[in-house]
Amino acid sequence: MMRINALAEVSPIDGGGNCRLALTDEDMHGRNLVVDWMRECGLEISVDAVGNIIGTWNVGAGAPVMSGSHIDTVRTGGRFDGCYGVLAALEVIQTCQQAGITPPRPLAVGVFTDEEGARFAPDMLGSLVYVGGMPLEEALDVIAIDGAKLGDELVRIGYAGVTPCPGPIPHAFVELHIEQGPMLEANGVRIGAVTSVQGISWQEVTIVGQSNHAGTTPMSLRHDPALVAAEITVFVRQLAKEMGGDQVCTVGKIDLHPNLTNVVAAKATITLDVRNTDDVLLNQAEAKIAEFLQVVASAENVQITTRKLVRFEPVKFDERVIDCIEEIAKQQGNTVQRMPSGAGHDAQMLARVCPSGMIFVPSVKGISHNAAEFTETVDLIAGANILLHTMLSLTTLEPTSELTN
Ligand code: GLV
Ligand code: MN
Ligand code: MN
């Protein structure tokens, strides 16, 4: 808790949260602090070419059981999203060291670059590169929403490391995270044993119309990108409602140009975040949106172009890891439920290369990506204890020849 609060002192925003967009000066200060703490625990630290920081407690033999998460935040982030997972993993190692527990294989903590995708798309970029899902060169060339290049920003903040990507495959990976949604609290359950992560589709939609005088242009002669942006926003809300189930759709960003009171906009740029646990349904939602874009474009006589930012299929976690988390949570006297994750996480990338899973603790009122994000200390501690025993238990997990993702 002390480390969570200390990290939250780096780049604070009103309301107790953080703005630590990936590879900004604020991210650099946060990284420096975590690296200092890793050093204090005697971890061997490696920084790879995409800036992922891996701290390893080199005990025993073989590939490490790894935990970890991210410390970058969205612009209006809370203090727990990601940071909790990184700092709890460090706490697990320190606790073992202090208690004289020597695991049969190394334990490692990963701090993955740009999990949020709020500055550089896609989200989970660092862990994606770590597992070989995106070539390093492509990642280094990604341009931020502020125009900066990822590779240049890594060099600028001193985190363009020398360790090659993809990184070494861990024996197993487990990530502890706040739920960021309302289910655990609503069900009065303390621990979520995460079964899967839903598929994610992000696209940027650019609408170009005819900019003109707001007072003199008759309504019937307008080609208004602002109207079309609003219609798309309403459409995706209705689509999610009609599809029901796990379907969610969000327009989180709207930029109008020139963005002036008395000017019909020339251009609108919006983002669509569309998710479903079922990839077939996610494909259907994407197709319906594409169809609607054509319909509104011709109705208002504007040009619409789209740019894919992210497309990740749903991911299932390893049954043995899920069972292990569930069992340990119960043994420690917690209520526990199996549940999918609505948010994207680094563990979904690690699941491509090693047995992986996640532990959730409740988010008060289900609020996240918001400075008001909060989890009770008693829940944070329960989650960290389960992480400790899960990591130790996974050190003896039998290797599998086949992975599901
Ligand atoms: C990552 O936090 C995401 O799910 O958008
Ligand atoms: Mn997170
Ligand atoms: Mn997040």
Side-chain angles (χ1 to χ4, degrees):
M1 198 62 215
M2 205 197 67
R3 289 191 186 126
I4 290 177
N5 290 339
L7 186 51
E9 290 304 313
V10 176
S11 62
I13 56 170
D14 283 352
N18 286 94
C19 176
R20 207 161 42 237
L21 292 170
L23 311 185
T24 54
D25 285 355
E26 292 76 21
D27 189 19
M28 172 185 72
H29 294 312
R31 285 164 172 263
N32 292 346
L33 193 57
V34 173
V35 167
D36 283 348
W37 288 329
M38 284 179 169
R39 285 220 173 88
E40 280 168 27
C41 294
L43 304 192
E44 186 184 308
I45 295 162
S46 79
V47 179
D48 71 18
V50 77
N52 296 317
I53 306 165
I54 310 292
T56 307
W57 181 29
N58 267 320
V59 286
V65 168
M66 191 186 284
S67 182
S69 193
H70 60 99
I71 64 159
D72 68 315
T73 72
V74 295
R75 203 190 296 284
T76 52
R79 59 177 58 194
F80 300 100
D81 178 359
C83 304
Y84 170 49
V86 168
L87 299 177
L90 196 57
E91 197 79 18
V92 163
I93 292 178
Q94 202 174 22
T95 303
C96 290
Q97 291 172 337
Q98 286 167 355
I101 297 166
T102 312
R105 59 173 68 245
L107 300 184
V109 188
V111 181
F112 295 100
T113 296
D114 184 44
E115 188 273 351
E116 294 291 5
R119 187 172 178 223
F120 301 94
D123 51 352
M124 284 92 64
L125 180 143
S127 46
L128 183 63
V129 174
Y130 187 90
V131 301
M134 184 185 202
L136 173 66
E137 296 66 34
E138 194 185 316
L140 297 180
D141 281 345
V142 172
I143 304 295
I145 52 172
D146 51 31
K149 197 158 131 182
L150 189 139
D152 296 344
E153 288 295 88
L154 272 175
V155 172
R156 191 185 66 78
I157 68 163
Y159 278 90
V162 293
T163 306
C165 302
I169 297 177
H171 183 66
F173 184 86
V174 57
E175 179 173 357
L176 174 61
H177 207 284
I178 55 167
E179 180 201 343
Q180 307 184 271
M183 300 316 296
L184 289 174
E185 186 181 66
N187 296 343
V189 172
R190 173 165 282 155
I191 298 298
V194 184
T195 51
S196 58
V197 180
Q198 63 184 348
I200 305 178
S201 160
W202 286 3
Q203 59 180 316
E204 184 182 74
V205 180
T206 303
I207 308 146
V208 176
Q210 175 63 61
S211 192
N212 212 331
H213 195 294
T216 61
T217 315
M219 299 311 287
S220 60
L221 296 182
R222 294 187 183 206
H223 309 290
D224 185 355
L227 173 80
V228 174
E231 285 182 327
I232 297 169
T233 308
V234 172
F235 175 79
V236 297
R237 165 62 83 97
Q238 277 166 351
L239 177 68
K241 202 170 154 196
E242 273 162 28
M243 291 182 69
D246 294 321
Q247 184 62 53
V248 287
C249 298
T250 307
V251 173
K253 188 165 179 279
I254 299 185
D255 292 318
L256 287 182
H257 182 78
N259 206 22
L260 294 169
T261 306
N262 56 355
V263 181
V264 176
K267 186 166 98 167
T269 310
I270 70 173
T271 56
L272 295 179
D273 177 317
V274 182
R275 307 191 194 200
N276 201 309
T277 46
D278 181 331
D279 210 42
V280 173
L281 294 174
L282 185 54
N283 278 323
Q284 281 173 15
E286 290 177 311
K288 284 189 175 149
I289 290 168
E291 208 176 290
F292 182 74
L293 294 184
Q294 287 196 345
V295 172
V296 270
S298 77
E300 186 68 5
N301 201 2
V302 294
Q303 276 87 53
I304 296 186
T305 49
T306 59
R307 185 165 72 94
K308 185 169 98 172
L309 299 175
V310 168
R311 185 61 171 85
F312 296 129
E313 288 176 9
V315 171
K316 283 195 182 358
F317 287 128
D318 191 293
E319 279 299 326
R320 296 165 306 159
V321 180
I322 305 167
D323 286 346
C324 172
I325 291 166
E326 192 174 36
E327 208 170 294
I328 289 169
K330 279 185 193 154
Q331 270 166 16
Q332 296 190 357
N334 301 287
T335 45
V336 54
Q337 73 173 72
R338 289 176 168 242
M339 63 190 295
S341 168
H345 295 289
D346 294 309
Q348 79 187 77
M349 297 307 166
L350 273 295
R352 295 185 185 192
V353 295
C354 66
S356 300
M358 290 191 75
I359 307 162
F360 275 174
V361 294
S363 291
V364 171
K365 298 199 176 93
I367 289 179
S368 186
H369 283 184
N370 182 325
E373 174 182 284
F374 186 70
T375 296
E376 301 289 351
T377 305
V378 55
D379 295 335
L380 295 174
I381 293 170
N385 276 319
I386 295 162
L387 180 67
L388 166 68
H389 291 277
T390 303
M391 287 182 79
L392 290 177
S393 171
L394 292 178
T395 59
T396 55
L397 187 77
E398 289 294 324
T400 33
S401 51
E402 229 176 80
L403 283 163
T404 46
N405 294 296

